[in-house]
Amino acid sequence: LGATWTTDQITIKEDFSYGITDRFAILGMLQYNSSDYETEYDDPTAPKDKMSDSGLNLYGLGVQWRFVDNEQWIAMASGYFQTQKDIANNFILEAKAGYKVQRSTIYGLARGWYIDLEGNSYGNAIYGNEANGNPSMFYLPYQVGDTSAMYMEGGLGVFSVLNQDWTLNVEA
């Protein structure tokens, strides 16, 4: 039976930083997600599986070391732990280096993390479909038999100081 899976999601993540010294900081993070999931089957007589979910789903704590910070350049390394509700615990190492332009910094980043999954598989799930006459959970696994995963990524970002209390950060 074929199907089309769609997800609409809005995520707001807030990173908090408290400087212990001019070079070392403690990091904290919270993430809020609002998600709508839907599976539409190729068989037109089969009902759609739908689910909406929202709330705080990620918490984290870590440290950051800014080892270069002069008028033109900034570079830092971070290590932190995040736990994602009902999914996994993440251990993350990150490095960023950037060039300062007025009140903004254009930077490159490298990030790697070890993900300790709560179960032995990962994928997408829809819970609570009794109203459709379907089972209470539909699970589409991407990989079965794994209890962990490793990821690496690289990218570019822009960090801008908007005023004394607010900043904006965009990464791709």
Side-chain angles (χ1 to χ4, degrees), residues 37-156:
Y37 307 99
E38 181 178 287
T39 303
E40 185 172 354
Y41 299 96
D42 293 343
D43 179 356
T45 63
K48 294 178 184 178
D49 286 323
K50 295 180 181 182
M51 183 180 91
S52 292
D53 186 28
S54 63
L56 289 173
N57 76 335
L58 184 134
Y59 310 89
L61 189 63
V63 295
Q64 179 183 74
W65 172 41
R66 191 171 50 232
F67 54 90
V68 174
D69 191 357
N70 58 43
E71 290 181 12
Q72 292 182 317
W73 296 95
I74 188 166
M76 62 190 75
S78 303
Y80 45 97
F81 168 80
Q82 293 178 337
T83 185
Q84 192 166 5
K85 181 181 168 188
D86 299 329
I87 296 176
N89 291 321
N90 307 313
F91 300 90
I92 302 162
L93 296 175
E94 177 179 77
K96 295 180 180 180
Y99 183 74
K100 297 177 182 178
V101 180
Q102 296 176 356
R103 296 176 65 165
S104 297
T105 302
I106 301 167
Y107 63 91
L109 67 98
R111 188 178 294 133
W113 63 92
Y114 172 79
I115 300 172
D116 181 23
L117 299 167
E118 286 191 7
N120 68 348
S121 67
Y122 59 94
N124 279 313
I126 294 178
Y127 300 93
N129 291 306
E130 288 88 1
N132 290 345
N134 295 329
S136 63
M137 183 180 92
F138 172 78
Y139 181 61
L140 176 65
Y142 298 145
Q143 180 69 35
V144 176
D146 287 340
T147 58
S148 64
M150 294 277 301
Y151 286 93
M152 300 288 289
E153 71 181 11
L156 296 173

